Amino acid sequence: MDPLSLIIDDMRFDGVVFVATELSAPWSLQLHTPGLAAFHILTEGQAWLLREGHEPVALQTGDLVVLPAGVPHLVQDRPTPAAQSHDLSTHLQRPDLVPLRLGGSGSAQTQLISGHARFDVHMAAPLVSALPGLMHIHGLGEAPPPWLAIGLQFLAQELMSPRPGQQAIINRLGDILFMECLRDYVSSLTEESGNWLAALKDRALSTALACMHRTPARNWTVPELAQHACLSRSAFADRFTQTLGEPPLTYLTRHRMRLAARQLASSNAPISRVADQVGYASEAAFSQAFKREYGQSPSAWRQAQPTRAEGDAPEAVAAA
């Protein structure tokens, strides 16, 4: 797979948690999904998105907005407060797809689908930190993205009437729309953007990243990675460090620690086995590296996580 696919695969997307709403003015909704990407799809009407410290953002029918870090925000019928905010988080993952009717007695009607994606927040941290606070994809205008137009048509068809498997299909559609947002954003980056995601468009660096994500436990060296990137050792190390903000082996170590954290949180595997799975022959060396990254030994970090049965999803996914 290409590097972006590998990064997305590492995040272990597990569908979306959402609620559909039918709104009459005045209305105001609030949502906060710490570390998990929140989204809103405006299927009918107009709305405004408000974040602290930012100008209000106007939304039109067909727009998709994603807040990658799930920061607190409001979506409402006007750019200034007009109604008491209703917390959407209490309605997420409803057992049915019947829209929630909220708001006042105004004639203006707005329909939204809101929620958040479910994924491993540890593995997603580097990607989320590199994304803008708000990703706004316009569904109207001269050239809306074909993937969004097709996705909205498909979504509208699914919501028309209950059918078997509907929830699972909408979950997967939510994943796809979010991934399309990521792909669009990466495609828009330039080499001078200062964003490490631009490395995914650099053939040499993307090849090296693919190597590390494909086989993270391998004992990679800078010369080996440089060879795969078809660059000299020094040219590769300099380009990698300049673009990603850290040397190749530092990036690899931090990626390994995130993989280890996921394994520690989701299984009862011995520390020595987790160490071996992420490329450490020595449990002591692994423990030192893990403590540098997370501030705790692997065993202490594991004990601090909520108790789960063997094979359960990590906290970030299970609690999503």
Side-chain angles (χ1 to χ4, degrees), residues 185-195 198-199 201:
Y185 180 69
V186 171
S187 298
S188 72
L189 294 174
T190 63
E191 293 183 7
E192 298 78 24
S193 65
N195 190 315
K201 299 176 68 176

Side-chain angles (χ1 to χ4, degrees), residues 47-319:
W48 292 85
L49 186 142
L50 286 72
R51 293 174 293 158
E52 186 175 354
H54 297 270
E55 290 294 318
V57 176
L59 307 179
Q60 303 292 331
T61 299
D63 284 7
L64 165 64
V65 288
V66 177
L67 297 92
V71 297
H73 61 280
L74 300 173
V75 181
Q76 53 191 44
D77 64 319
R78 58 187 67 186
T80 55
Q84 183 175 356
S85 293
H86 192 95
D87 188 357
L88 276 180
S89 62
T90 60
H91 300 286
L92 295 178
Q93 209 165 15
R94 299 178 73 205
D96 58 61
L97 300 177
V98 177
L100 186 68
R101 291 177 171 83
L102 298 170
S105 56
S107 59
Q109 295 290 315
T110 302
Q111 295 182 11
L112 275 173
I113 297 175
S114 308
H116 67 77
R118 296 184 290 187
F119 50 73
D120 188 320
V121 294
H122 297 297
M123 298 303 299
L127 177 61
V128 169
S129 66
L131 294 173
L134 177 68
M135 303 167 72
H136 185 181
I137 313 298
H138 297 272
L140 297 176
E142 295 181 359
W147 60 264
L148 180 56
I150 294 170
L152 291 177
Q153 290 174 5
F154 191 93
L155 182 61
Q157 181 178 340
E158 278 300 316
L159 292 174
M160 284 179 63
S161 59
R163 289 188 294 169
Q166 190 176 50
Q167 183 79 50
I169 289 173
I170 293 176
N171 282 345
R172 294 300 173 261
L173 179 59
D175 283 349
I176 292 170
L177 291 176
F178 182 63
M179 292 175 196
E180 287 283 6
C181 284
L182 294 179
R183 185 160 63 176
D184 265 18
Y185 180 69
V186 171
S187 298
S188 72
L189 294 174
T190 63
E191 293 183 7
E192 298 78 24
S193 65
N195 190 315
W196 73 263
L197 290 173
L200 301 179
K201 299 176 68 176
D202 182 313
R203 186 168 184 174
L205 297 183
S206 65
T207 299
L209 285 170
C211 289
M212 288 187 276
H213 280 263
R214 190 177 295 115
T215 53
R218 178 171 171 172
N219 186 26
W220 290 106
T221 65
V222 173
E224 283 181 311
L225 291 169
Q227 185 176 12
H228 282 280
C230 299
L231 294 172
S232 69
R233 181 188 184 283
S234 59
F236 166 70
D238 288 347
R239 187 189 299 187
F240 192 102
T241 303
Q242 182 176 1
T243 304
L244 281 90
E246 58 189 354
L249 297 189
T250 300
Y251 176 93
L252 176 60
T253 297
R254 296 183 68 185
H255 177 58
R256 286 171 167 173
M257 293 306 102
R258 289 189 291 270
L259 289 170
R262 177 167 69 190
Q263 189 68 5
L264 290 167
S266 63
S267 78
N268 296 318
I271 303 297
S272 58
R273 185 186 303 171
V274 175
D276 181 66
Q277 289 175 343
V278 296
Y280 285 80
S282 164
E283 183 178 335
F286 164 69
S287 296
Q288 290 175 0
F290 191 90
K291 189 171 184 178
R292 282 195 297 270
E293 185 69 17
Y294 286 94
Q296 292 180 297
S297 68
S299 57
W301 191 89
R302 168 182 268 170
Q303 290 172 4
Q305 307 308 302
T307 303
R308 287 173 304 280
E310 178 82 25
D312 280 354
E315 176 193 6
V317 175

